[in-house]
Amino acid sequence: MGLSKKKIKEHIKLICAFFVIILIYILFTGCPIRLLTGVSCAGCGMSRAYLSLLHLNFRGAFHYHPLFICPIIFVVVFVLTKLGFPKKWAKAINCIMAALFIGVYIYRMLNPNDNVVVFEPQNGLIFKGIQFIISIIKN
């Protein structure tokens, strides 16, 4: 009962994608989405939340991202699904977590006191690149 070639290729693609994301994160020391767009992603603050959690600073973890526990729940549900947990329940749990992420993201974006999530498109590489191209065209 070995893995098929198709499954092996899928696993290799996932592993490669994971390492590309890690490489981008290491090279740019931050969120690549924020780097490109200047806008924080829905998971912004998650790494800092886990670092706070490692220091047993639960308040700090909650400050950086109030849903820091969701990825752990996702992994647990994923593993349990492989062990026979009903897929309907797993799908429902994942939908609830996705809705929570979207709701918290919108709230944090609109909250002027949130210093973790930012909306600064003028600081993104895409915006700066467009400005650069426009300045070349004008001259």
Side-chain angles (χ1 to χ4, degrees):
M1 183 170 187
L3 290 174
S4 68
K5 286 186 178 183
K6 185 178 179 182
K7 286 285 186 185
I8 291 172
K9 285 182 180 180
E10 287 177 15
H11 284 65
I12 290 172
K13 287 179 185 177
L14 284 173
I15 291 169
C16 288
F18 175 76
F19 280 113
V20 166
I21 291 169
I22 296 298
L23 182 65
I24 290 171
Y25 187 82
I26 290 170
L27 291 176
F28 298 113
T29 63
C31 177
I33 294 171
R34 186 172 172 184
L35 175 73
L36 290 172
T37 65
V39 180
S40 299
C41 67
C44 193
M46 195 68 73
S47 297
R48 289 171 281 177
Y50 283 120
L51 288 173
S52 293
L53 196 60
L54 287 173
H55 292 276
L56 301 176
N57 180 358
F58 296 100
R59 175 181 261 167
F62 188 80
H63 166 75
Y64 286 121
H65 203 295
L67 300 176
F68 67 89
I69 197 74
C70 282
I72 296 168
I73 294 171
F74 176 78
V75 169
V76 169
V77 169
F78 178 78
V79 170
L80 289 176
T81 303
K82 295 294 182 186
L83 298 174
F85 188 73
K87 290 187 178 183
K88 281 185 177 182
W89 282 95
K91 194 172 189 176
I93 291 169
N94 290 336
C95 286
I96 290 169
M97 286 192 300
L100 284 171
F101 258 88
I102 292 168
V104 167
Y105 180 61
I106 291 169
Y107 172 78
R108 293 175 84 191
M109 269 300 185
L110 298 175
N111 183 0
N113 297 323
D114 193 316
N115 58 358
V116 177
V117 175
V118 298
F119 184 80
E120 300 169 343
Q122 70 277 9
N123 292 333
L125 289 179
I126 293 172
F127 185 85
K128 289 179 181 180
I130 291 170
Q131 278 186 323
F132 179 72
I133 292 169
I134 290 172
S135 71
I136 290 173
I137 292 171
K138 284 186 176 180
N139 291 331

